[in-house]
């Protein structure tokens, strides 16, 4: 027998309440192909520069893009794009432009290998698009960037470093004996450890550094503009921070340590993937060396290990006298956890 209460559709005399939104629409660019796919760029200024310049509203550091490649001008509700004498041109809906072109909703723009769509969106639409993008690049547990976004940024940052001859480093961080935490205290405690470590890493780094959850109990940091000694010192600072953490979980307090592998583009990493591979090899060298230590690059495929037992020596003697263990360039430690 049917329930009468479930067989009736309720009628409302007033429309459902709408979420708050500004009726005013603003121009945006959504990246469809190339770097940072899915990212939303708001065109809120009267002039938005696109190019390789660090001053650009949308910086595209890829082959075929000029420093000041193109700009989008806003006048009232009208947006126009113009090429700024770039080497390889600006394309609108597949056609190379030689004069300012008025942008309409849905039009596609290509600069170098980056394809983007121009849209007119109100604040509610912008927020929905931004949330969708954030969900695609963030790790659900820690809120840090995910591996896919890290790999995309690494590729772009490595290309920038080669072109401008700047420093670039990768640190890979692994929580020591993480399986024991899950086995002894349960997976909720393990999740609490990962969340706390993610927050600590995010809060301790520069705004220009990128920290991501690499997978499982591994995290990665991508940082630019730091020399070899500086990035090794950063790794040691992170190691000490992790060692000092006290993480509350289910009425308990959990202490952790971490092993850290460091790679630098000044030490022989000619390709972006080599930076990660070198940091990964250094990480497993640190684990083989006893864990709770930083394995940092010396030069051309060699690593120096500094650990907790060497901390006093590191702070009381010159760095060159600190205890160290080296791996030759043609020797790679085997992976074991």
């Amino acid at each position: 027998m049917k329930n009468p209460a479930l067989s009736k559709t309720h009628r409302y005399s007033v429309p459902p309440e709408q979420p708050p939104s500004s009726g005013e629409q603003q121009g945006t660019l959504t990246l469809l192909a190339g770097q940072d796919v899915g990212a939303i760029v708001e065109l809120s200024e009267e002039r938005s520069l696109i190019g390789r310049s660090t001053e650009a509203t949308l910086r595209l550091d890829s082959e075929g893009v000029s420093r000041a490649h193109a700009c989008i001008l806003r006048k009232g509700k009208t947006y126009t794009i113009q090429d700024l004498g770039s080497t390889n041109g600006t394309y609108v809906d597949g056609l190379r432009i030689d004069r300012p072109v008025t942008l309409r909703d849905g039009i596609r723009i290509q600069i170098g290998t980056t394809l983007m769509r121009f849209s007119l969106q109100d604040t509610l639409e912008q927020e929905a698009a931004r949330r969708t993008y954030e969900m695609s690049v963030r790790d659900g547990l820690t809120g840090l960037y995910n591996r896919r976004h890290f790999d995309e940024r690494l590729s772009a940052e490595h290309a920038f470093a080669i072109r401008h001859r700047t420093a670039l480093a990768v640190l890979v961080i692994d929580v020591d004996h993480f399986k024991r935490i899950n086995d002894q205290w349960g997976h909720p405690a393990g999740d609490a450890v990962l969340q706390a470590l993610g927050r600590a890493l995010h809060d301790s780094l520069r705004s220009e550094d990128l920290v991501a959850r690499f997978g499982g109990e591994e995290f990665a940091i991508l940082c630019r503009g730091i020399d070899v000694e500086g990035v090794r010192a950063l790794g040691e600072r992170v190691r000490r921070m992790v060692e000092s953490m006290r993480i509350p979980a289910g009425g308990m307090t959990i202490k952790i340590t971490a092993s850290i592998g460091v790679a630098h583009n000044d030490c022989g990493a000619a390709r972006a993937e080599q930076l990660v591979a070198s940091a990964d090899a250094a990480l497993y060298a640190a684990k083989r060396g006893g864990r709770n230590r930083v394995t940092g690059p010396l030069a051309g495929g060699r690593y120096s290990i500094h650990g907790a037992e060497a901390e006093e020596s590191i702070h009381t003697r010159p760095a060159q006298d600190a205890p160290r263990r080296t791996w030759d360039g043609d020797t790679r430690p085997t992976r074991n956890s």
Side-chain angles (χ1 to χ4, degrees):
M1 181 177 177
K2 287 186 178 181
N3 185 337
L6 299 178
S7 62
K8 295 181 180 179
T9 301
H10 291 279
R11 297 180 180 274
Y12 294 96
S13 58
V14 294
E17 183 178 349
Q18 296 292 319
S21 173
S22 169
E24 183 180 352
Q25 293 186 316
Q26 179 178 278
T28 62
L29 294 175
T30 302
L31 277 60
L32 304 177
Q35 69 181 56
D36 296 333
V37 172
I40 310 294
V41 180
E42 297 179 8
L43 303 173
S44 56
E45 304 295 328
E46 291 185 358
R47 183 179 188 271
S48 299
L49 177 65
I50 304 173
R52 287 193 292 109
S53 171
T54 55
E55 306 297 322
T57 305
L58 174 56
R59 184 165 73 88
L60 302 175
D61 195 69
S62 60
E63 296 295 334
V65 178
S66 301
R67 286 181 58 81
H69 194 106
C71 70
I72 294 178
L73 303 175
R74 177 177 64 86
K75 188 173 182 180
K77 298 181 179 180
T78 302
Y79 293 81
T80 58
I81 184 170
Q82 65 182 64
D83 186 80
L84 299 177
S86 66
T87 302
N88 295 300
T90 300
Y91 292 80
V92 175
D93 279 347
L95 298 177
R96 184 167 181 167
I97 62 173
D98 56 9
R99 60 178 60 87
V101 173
T102 300
L103 297 175
R104 65 180 185 279
D105 189 50
I107 206 166
R108 293 193 174 195
I109 303 165
Q110 182 163 359
I111 293 178
T113 58
T114 300
L115 179 66
M116 60 201 93
R117 182 182 65 243
F118 173 81
S119 301
L120 290 170
Q121 298 178 324
D122 63 24
T123 54
L124 186 62
E125 292 168 327
Q126 290 179 43
E127 183 60 26
R130 191 177 297 109
R131 287 184 180 180
T132 300
Y133 172 67
E134 286 293 313
M135 289 173 61
S136 74
V137 299
R138 297 283 183 180
D139 171 63
L141 178 65
T142 63
L144 299 177
Y145 287 112
N146 58 26
R147 175 67 184 268
R148 183 181 72 83
H149 184 71
F150 179 90
D151 288 342
E152 290 179 354
R153 278 289 301 274
L154 173 62
S155 179
E157 292 291 346
H158 189 264
F160 182 90
I162 290 176
R163 183 173 292 109
H164 298 280
R165 300 181 181 231
T166 56
L168 186 67
V170 170
L171 298 86
V172 178
I173 303 155
D174 187 272
V175 180
D176 294 327
H177 301 298
F178 183 73
K179 187 175 183 298
R180 293 182 187 175
I181 297 173
N182 280 334
D183 291 345
Q184 185 171 353
W185 291 297
H187 289 279
D191 288 348
V193 166
L194 297 177
Q195 290 170 330
L197 179 54
R199 287 192 299 269
L201 290 172
H202 177 271
D203 294 343
S204 66
L205 298 172
R206 305 174 302 172
S207 60
E208 61 264 38
D209 297 330
L210 184 146
V211 58
R213 185 183 178 195
F214 226 41
E217 67 271 24
E218 282 192 2
F219 297 81
I221 299 171
L222 178 64
C223 51
R224 59 159 75 164
I226 303 178
D227 62 18
V228 173
E229 289 299 325
V231 78
R232 191 181 301 141
L234 170 61
E236 179 58 23
R237 178 167 65 84
V238 170
R239 186 198 68 78
R240 292 198 304 269
M241 178 197 71
V242 174
E243 189 178 39
S244 69
M245 292 179 67
R246 301 295 182 266
I247 303 167
M252 304 166 294
T253 299
I254 300 175
K255 297 189 292 185
I256 60 172
T257 61
S259 300
I260 302 174
V262 183
H264 196 283
N265 66 344
D266 196 34
C267 297
R271 299 192 305 273
E273 57 268 25
Q274 286 180 318
L275 266 178
V276 174
S278 295
D280 200 45
L283 168 65
Y284 283 91
K287 285 186 170 294
R288 290 182 58 172
R291 294 181 171 83
N292 190 25
R293 61 192 60 216
V294 179
T295 308
L298 278 176
R302 304 186 70 196
Y303 301 101
S304 165
I305 295 182
H306 300 289
E309 76 281 359
E311 185 171 346
E312 181 178 353
S313 297
I314 291 172
H315 292 292
T316 59
R317 293 188 294 170
Q320 63 267 26
D321 294 330
R324 63 181 52 177
R325 177 180 177 185
T326 61
W327 298 87
D328 292 330
D330 57 356
T331 304
R332 289 291 180 267
T334 58
R335 294 176 66 101
N336 72 356
S337 55

